Amino acid sequence: MTTTLEPTTTALPPLRLGALTVDPAVVLAPMAGITNPAFRTLCREFGAGLYVCEMITTRALVERNEKTLRMIRATADEKDAFSIQLYGVDPATVGRAVQMLVDEGVAGTRPAHIDLNFGCPVPKVTRKGGGSALPWHRVLLRNIVREAVRAAKDVPVTIKTRIGIDADHVTYLDAGRIAQDEGAAAITLHGRTADQLYSGTADWAPIARLVEAVDIPVLGNGDIWEADDALRMVAETGCAGVVIGRGCLGRPWLFGDLAAAFAGESRRALPTMAEVAAIMHRHAGLLAEEHGERHGCSDFRKHVAWYLKGFSVGSDVRRALAMVSGPDELAELLARIPDQPYPTAVLGAPRGRTTPPRPVALPEGWLSDRDDPRPPVGAELETSGG
């Protein structure tokens, strides 16, 4: 089911990243345990844009970790637009990982786009100086971006970051200028500091300031729950595109809404329970194809509450869905839920994690010297996915 809003004339031009055209200018943010091939396929079936795989650790890639090599498989329909996000803290290791992807084809296909993660606020990352803590060391940031761009050759490299560590340690403007100077194709800014995690409301004003400060495209991220939030972000900030994270959890059709919105169309999807059930079954089926029925359905369980948010579902069915172990069982349980209109009360509401703010865990003395070029000791992660 779709609904029609007031007509809009807002349309966003395609995003140009080197030779890669992203149309509409919508990017699926990497999310650990979420943006696997199954979810990327499902989102792509509803819309268009760029769909980034789960975060890949450069150390694990260079060491050819088995799990990591499985995670960088492109699906058949993303061979020409396979997008990888890398996490790394050592310029040499990042450069080597990029070289492997571009020159050796370790992913089975040459990536069309590489993103560098400087925005992760998770304590196990920041306490070692990685993620959103790293841009404070601006010389190290510059060296990492330089090595990645050099190794990537004609493959566009972008970076994703946050406003800063906290209100007293802001890094996004320096990060944007460094990205531009070192040849990055674009920068994504999440409108929160690291200490905010995913609490409160994202501040879009720094996105607008970054747009004014750099010449490369700036993508906005943070609190885009509906397509009209994306339109508002573009109007308020002048950003060249949007990056969608938690807003699509349990709502892969959001990418269809975004495609319509950026084409100046007013239609929006409001699927009935029966239509959502069909999407859920499709999602579980894709995971089963990838991991086998038992592991696929086990992985699907985390999505159930997001899909059913706001719908009237009996507690016994919810409990059973939380333990579902096969596609046939899933279909039987979904058939027990009465069809009903989409619960419009949940539109625009936050989804996924909403962790409260807390001080950022940092290495001893991390804030004392912004120009220290040395990689943080022990910050390299051995496994991918966050």
Side-chain angles (χ1 to χ4, degrees):
M1 177 181 175
T2 59
T3 187
T4 302
L5 307 177
E6 290 297 320
T8 176
T9 57
T10 301
L12 193 67
L15 174 66
R16 311 287 183 183
L17 300 176
L20 179 65
T21 299
V22 183
D23 187 15
V26 175
V27 179
L28 169 65
M31 290 180 281
I34 303 294
T35 56
N36 48 38
F39 190 69
R40 298 199 307 269
T41 296
L42 191 65
C43 292
R44 187 177 291 102
E45 289 175 351
F46 281 99
L50 192 62
Y51 299 89
V52 188
C53 75
E54 296 176 75
M55 185 186 77
I56 301 298
T57 300
T58 54
R59 176 180 170 184
L61 180 57
V62 168
E63 295 180 355
R64 300 181 188 271
N65 173 272
E66 185 178 344
K67 174 188 173 184
T68 295
L69 293 178
R70 288 197 304 269
M71 290 172 63
I72 57 175
R73 295 192 317 272
T75 63
D77 58 353
E78 61 186 1
K79 291 292 186 181
D80 296 327
F82 186 44
S83 177
I84 294 178
Q85 187 185 71
L86 297 178
Y87 165 88
V89 299
D90 178 70
T93 304
V94 172
R96 175 59 182 147
V98 172
Q99 182 183 39
M100 288 172 62
L101 292 169
V102 172
D103 293 343
E104 298 179 22
V106 292
T109 186
R110 194 172 190 257
H113 164 247
I114 293 172
D115 186 56
L116 301 177
N117 183 311
F118 301 115
C120 180
V122 176
K124 72 174 183 178
V125 171
T126 61
R127 71 165 49 97
K128 294 181 178 182
S132 53
L134 194 142
W136 183 254
H137 283 209
R138 54 196 170 195
V139 175
L140 177 61
L141 175 68
R142 181 181 298 277
N143 292 342
I144 292 173
V145 177
R146 178 178 296 165
E147 285 299 310
V149 171
R150 178 197 59 77
K153 299 177 180 176
D154 61 326
V155 174
V157 173
T158 61
I159 79 168
K160 185 170 188 279
T161 191
R162 286 190 169 223
I163 294 171
I165 294 174
D166 52 37
D168 295 323
H169 302 90
V170 172
T171 57
Y172 74 97
L173 288 173
D174 280 344
R177 295 185 186 106
I178 288 168
Q180 175 174 285
D181 291 347
E182 297 304 326
I187 177 173
T188 296
L189 180 60
H190 181 107
R192 288 181 172 87
T193 50
D195 68 329
Q196 291 178 291
L197 294 170
Y198 296 94
S199 65
T201 302
D203 183 3
W204 294 351
I207 300 173
R209 287 194 285 273
L210 185 58
V211 170
E212 295 176 353
V214 298
D215 296 325
I216 59 174
V218 174
L219 307 182
N221 176 231
D223 293 3
I224 298 178
W225 311 114
E226 308 294 336
D228 295 288
D229 295 328
L231 293 178
R232 184 165 55 86
M233 176 184 278
V234 171
E236 292 181 8
T237 69
C239 63
V242 296
V243 176
I244 307 299
R246 295 175 295 155
C248 68
L249 296 176
R251 299 182 67 222
W253 56 87
L254 176 60
F255 290 96
D257 286 355
L258 289 160
F262 285 153
E265 300 173 9
S266 55
R267 59 181 172 83
R268 304 289 185 268
L270 290 174
T272 65
M273 182 63 240
E275 292 170 327
V276 171
I279 295 166
M280 293 173 71
H281 197 265
R282 168 69 173 152
H283 190 172
L286 289 167
L287 285 168
E289 290 175 13
E290 185 179 343
H291 302 293
E293 288 192 2
R294 184 168 66 88
H295 290 295
C297 282
S298 175
D299 190 59
F300 176 73
R301 294 171 190 166
K302 69 169 75 79
H303 298 271
V304 170
W306 295 325
Y307 275 115
L308 298 182
K309 185 173 183 178
F311 282 106
S312 178
V313 181
S315 58
D316 56 335
V317 175
R318 284 188 184 271
R319 284 194 298 270
L321 284 168
M323 297 183 292
V324 68
S325 58
D328 292 341
E329 180 187 3
L330 175 64
E332 188 275 328
L333 289 169
L334 292 173
R336 289 166 55 183
I337 304 174
D339 197 16
Q340 53 197 284
Y342 192 81
T344 55
V346 305
L347 295 176
R351 308 177 77 82
R353 52 190 170 182
T354 53
T355 44
R358 60 186 172 196
V360 181
L362 296 169
E364 184 72 25
W366 185 251
L367 299 176
S368 61
D369 184 2
R370 294 203 66 189
D371 295 319
D372 185 347
R374 295 171 297 175
V377 177
E380 292 282 4
L381 299 181
E382 297 181 0
T383 57
S384 299

